[in-house]
Amino acid sequence: MQLRWYQREALDATNKYLAEEQGNPLVCVSTGGGKSVIIAKFIEEYLSKKPNARFIVLSHVKEILEQNYSKLALINPLVDVGIYSASLKRKDTESTVLFAGIQSVHKKAFDLPPYDFILVDECHLINADADSSMYIKFLNHAKLMNPNVRMIGFSATPYRTKTGLLTEGKNALFHKIVYETDIQQLIDEGFLSPLITKGGQEKIDLTGVRTRQGEFATQDMEKAVHKNSLTDKALDEICELGADRQSWLIFGVSVAHCLEIEEKLKKKGVSALTVHGKTPENARNEAISVFKQGRLRCLISQGVLTTGFDAPRTDLIALLRSTKSPGLYMQIMGRGLRISPETNKTNCLVLDYGSNVERHGPIDQVHVTSPEKKKKGAAPVRQCPECNLLQLAARRTCENCGLIFEIEEKPIHDHSASKDAVLSSQIQAEWVPVSDVNYFIHTKKGSPNSIRVAYRTGFEFINEWVCPEHEGYAKTKALTWWAQRVGYDKPMPESTNEAVRMLKTIQVKTPRAIQVKPDGKFKKIMSYEFN
């Protein structure tokens, strides 16, 4: 199987960390980016060098387990592969590679052989602060079987709402994010589907909705989605905007709310089914199957279909709920990122009635920090009153329909708050002149040094980082940056210190302007203009 370039880089970064460091690496790959391929190739390549190694691959739902199992069996059918899952009615124990459901094996570590590697898919579900959780129980017992066992985590969302990044905190199970994909780049290169978003005519009024355990209270949310007939109005709009779209996913507040949505859609002539945590397995499998085949227009979800659900033909996602969880928000949005050439899917329309995009920001710029730190803000956008397209608030005309926006003073209390673009690429960049450039050595604990390049634009400094000592894409980007400014006759040094010394002593070509766009509270450099 031919790996995509970023899959190869992820593998190389993982292997490098395992060879040089003692901790547990974390690999972050966007939903739809092919984590199962990376897992399978890591195992295959490692076994080619050390055929006596043993692996267990843990997941929390059987769909992920089956997907990972099938991918390795496809890539190399000669590998001794087994399954331990009550729901799949298999309990293999002696396989070289065991794909296991955590619910089935969390008490069985001593009944299984010692493993060299524990791979955890969707590892953001591990609560490292709960000693009694199934994952923690299994990991602790597995370490007793083999104190040198290494753990590798895989996730599109490497954080938890309450504790921040999985690599932070005193009980962190993972020690470093060794690789992270760029969603926008994968979209640009055709590996992921673009997301486009329109704000609904109606928004959920969250006045009086309480928070419980870090999330909006379900009972309060149920009342909110019925204020001013919001659910009815939203469904009318979904049917209108989704008329030429084949596969809809709608996320509701509760089981009762989802069943209500199902009934109302059926009355409008839309084929729809609801799945939730207590849906009987056969019924759930049948609903998902007909949806994936294109024989069901709409699948409605409460509490499921956020991870382990692979339906590439999905071309409309509607959020008839609000969430405070950036992880849940990312997982929901990820359902629309998969490409589907066979259905001629060109993008996925996101209809957000819960102000979730505003709350969490573009999906390629979601920032989650530890609870002690403030979350980065995201660039606000306005909703065009004519066509409802979400775009940068600073624009004076709509990029879709050309409407000229009126400049208004925002009231102190605004119950229809502005919302953020679902992708940062939908935020317009601007050119700013450069008057001076300075170079500094930048140090970060746990990472190689890098060059901080500070561009002076008026009274502001805009920074970028160049990484001579890194590997993979960061190194390739650094080489290109160096050649553009210094030339090929003076190769970029391997040492950051030496590179900064040269930049301060030799003639360096500098841009007269840079193109920037908001990136949280900072600005990201998109392009350069040289004399």
Side-chain angles (χ1 to χ4, degrees):
M1 178 176 288
Q2 183 66 40
L3 293 177
R4 297 171 180 175
W5 63 266
Y6 63 88
Q7 293 170 332
R8 181 71 263 168
E9 286 190 354
L11 281 171
D12 291 343
T14 302
N15 289 324
K16 184 175 187 296
Y17 181 86
L18 291 172
E20 298 177 356
E21 307 287 344
Q22 297 300 314
N24 297 324
L26 178 56
V27 180
C28 303
V29 178
S30 310
T31 300
K35 291 194 298 293
S36 59
V37 174
I38 297 172
I39 290 171
K41 288 297 290 184
F42 172 78
I43 293 171
E44 182 198 39
E45 291 179 1
Y46 197 92
L47 286 174
S48 69
K49 296 177 289 187
K50 297 184 178 181
N52 294 324
R54 283 185 179 271
F55 302 78
I56 185 167
V57 185
L58 300 176
S59 55
H60 67 293
V61 293
K62 72 169 187 175
E63 289 84 359
I64 296 177
L65 188 156
E66 290 176 307
Q67 180 177 306
N68 290 336
Y69 170 88
S70 299
K71 193 65 67 176
L72 180 56
L74 175 65
I75 288 177
N76 190 340
L78 299 180
V79 175
D80 177 26
V81 181
I83 290 177
Y84 197 114
S85 169
S87 61
L88 294 175
K89 297 178 174 57
R90 283 183 59 177
K91 292 188 177 181
D92 304 325
T93 58
E94 297 301 323
S95 307
T96 299
V97 183
L98 186 65
F99 291 87
I102 188 60
Q103 298 91 337
S104 298
V105 299
H106 70 281
K107 295 181 180 179
K108 304 292 184 181
F110 297 123
D111 297 333
L112 299 171
Y115 292 101
D116 298 286
F117 288 97
I118 299 172
L119 281 62
V120 183
D121 200 356
E122 306 294 353
C123 64
H124 60 278
L125 295 172
I126 301 176
N127 183 359
D129 293 323
D131 293 336
S132 59
S133 73
M134 290 186 290
Y135 277 107
I136 299 300
K137 185 179 295 183
F138 180 85
L139 296 173
N140 288 339
H141 291 173
K143 287 179 181 178
L144 294 176
M145 298 285 286
N146 177 12
N148 297 317
V149 64
R150 303 291 294 273
M151 183 168 64
I152 307 173
F154 296 86
S155 178
T157 52
Y159 41 74
R160 291 178 65 85
T161 302
K162 294 182 180 180
T163 55
L165 286 173
L166 301 183
T167 53
E168 297 179 345
K170 63 179 181 179
N171 296 321
L173 295 174
F174 302 98
H175 300 91
K176 183 179 181 181
I177 297 176
V178 296
Y179 193 78
E180 192 166 7
T181 53
D182 182 326
I183 293 176
Q184 186 59 55
Q185 185 176 8
L186 300 194
I187 290 174
D188 293 342
E189 296 188 15
F191 296 123
L192 297 179
S193 170
L195 301 182
I196 59 173
T197 183
K198 287 190 175 183
Q201 295 284 357
E202 301 286 335
K203 313 291 193 305
I204 298 174
D205 182 0
L206 296 174
T207 304
V209 176
R210 293 165 291 182
T211 298
R212 290 178 180 165
Q213 296 182 334
E215 184 57 289
F216 292 115
T218 300
Q219 187 176 5
D220 293 346
M221 280 291 299
E222 280 188 310
K223 294 178 182 178
V225 294
H226 290 100
K227 286 182 184 177
N228 303 316
S229 302
L230 182 138
T231 295
D232 291 321
K233 293 175 181 177
L235 292 178
D236 287 342
E237 189 171 45
I238 291 169
C239 289
E240 177 186 352
L241 297 177
D244 60 347
R245 295 185 176 266
Q246 305 175 46
S247 299
W248 308 353
L249 276 181
I250 297 180
F251 293 87
V253 173
S254 63
V255 174
H257 185 224
C258 290
L259 292 173
E260 176 191 349
I261 293 170
E262 177 186 336
E263 181 182 359
K264 290 181 175 181
L265 285 177
K266 287 179 175 177
K267 288 181 179 179
K268 295 175 180 291
V270 177
S271 59
L273 287 173
T274 296
V275 292
H276 52 84
K278 294 185 179 180
T279 302
E281 185 175 357
N282 291 340
R284 174 177 169 175
N285 292 343
E286 176 64 18
I288 291 174
S289 176
V290 294
F291 179 76
K292 289 183 176 182
Q293 295 168 21
R295 296 191 287 119
L296 179 71
R297 188 73 174 278
C298 179
L299 199 56
I300 307 157
S301 168
Q302 193 282 323
V304 295
L305 305 186
T306 54
T307 57
F309 175 69
D310 181 4
R313 66 188 304 125
T314 302
D315 56 1
L316 184 150
I317 294 174
L319 290 89
L320 264 169
R321 61 161 297 170
S322 298
T323 178
K324 287 191 170 184
S325 167
L328 177 59
Y329 163 71
M330 283 287 291
Q331 293 291 346
I332 288 175
M333 293 298 190
R335 301 313 103 195
L337 284 173
R338 297 184 188 276
I339 59 175
S340 179
E342 62 275 11
T343 62
N344 297 317
K345 172 183 173 181
T346 57
N347 56 49
C348 180
L349 174 64
V350 176
L351 300 174
D352 179 18
Y353 297 91
S355 300
N356 298 291
V357 183
E358 172 201 3
R359 189 173 299 109
H360 301 295
I363 61 171
D364 54 339
Q365 289 186 3
V366 171
H367 297 282
V368 176
T369 59
S370 61
E372 294 78 19
K373 299 178 182 178
K374 291 183 179 180
K375 181 183 174 184
K376 290 184 179 181
V381 303
R382 71 164 76 224
Q383 179 175 323
C384 175
E386 189 69 28
C387 69
N388 290 331
L389 187 75
L390 296 176
Q391 53 208 287
L392 186 66
R395 290 186 65 90
R396 293 292 173 256
T397 59
C398 176
E399 60 183 287
N400 180 49
C401 68
L403 179 71
I404 299 175
F405 298 136
E406 295 182 7
I407 301 176
E408 302 176 350
E409 289 189 10
K410 190 173 180 180
I412 296 175
H413 298 290
D414 186 356
H415 293 294
S416 61
S418 64
K419 297 172 67 181
D420 290 346
V422 72
L423 283 167
S424 61
S425 63
Q426 296 164 355
I427 300 174
Q428 188 182 34
E430 62 174 342
W431 286 96
V432 293
V434 174
S435 58
D436 192 21
V437 183
N438 293 283
Y439 309 97
F440 305 92
I441 297 171
H442 177 73
T443 60
K444 182 178 180 181
K445 186 177 180 180
S447 298
N449 289 346
S450 58
I451 305 169
R452 179 169 69 88
V453 186
Y455 297 90
R456 187 183 185 92
T457 62
F459 295 103
E460 182 182 15
F461 283 95
I462 299 174
N463 297 310
E464 71 173 341
W465 283 262
V466 180
C467 310
E469 298 181 23
H470 288 57
E471 301 293 334
Y473 175 72
K475 180 64 171 283
T476 301
K477 186 177 178 181
L479 290 169
T480 302
W481 184 94
W482 183 272
Q484 193 175 37
R485 289 155 177 76
V486 178
Y488 293 97
D489 57 328
K490 294 184 178 67
M492 183 179 70
E494 294 291 332
S495 163
T496 297
N497 289 14
E498 178 61 20
V500 170
R501 187 195 65 79
M502 286 184 64
L503 290 169
K504 291 181 177 180
T505 56
I506 64 175
Q507 185 173 359
V508 179
K509 187 178 179 182
T510 58
R512 66 179 183 183
I514 53 176
Q515 188 185 39
V516 299
K517 68 176 181 180
D519 183 10
K521 64 181 180 180
F522 302 106
K523 291 183 178 179
K524 181 179 181 181
I525 298 175
M526 307 302 298
S527 188
Y528 314 90
E529 181 180 298
F530 293 90
N531 291 324

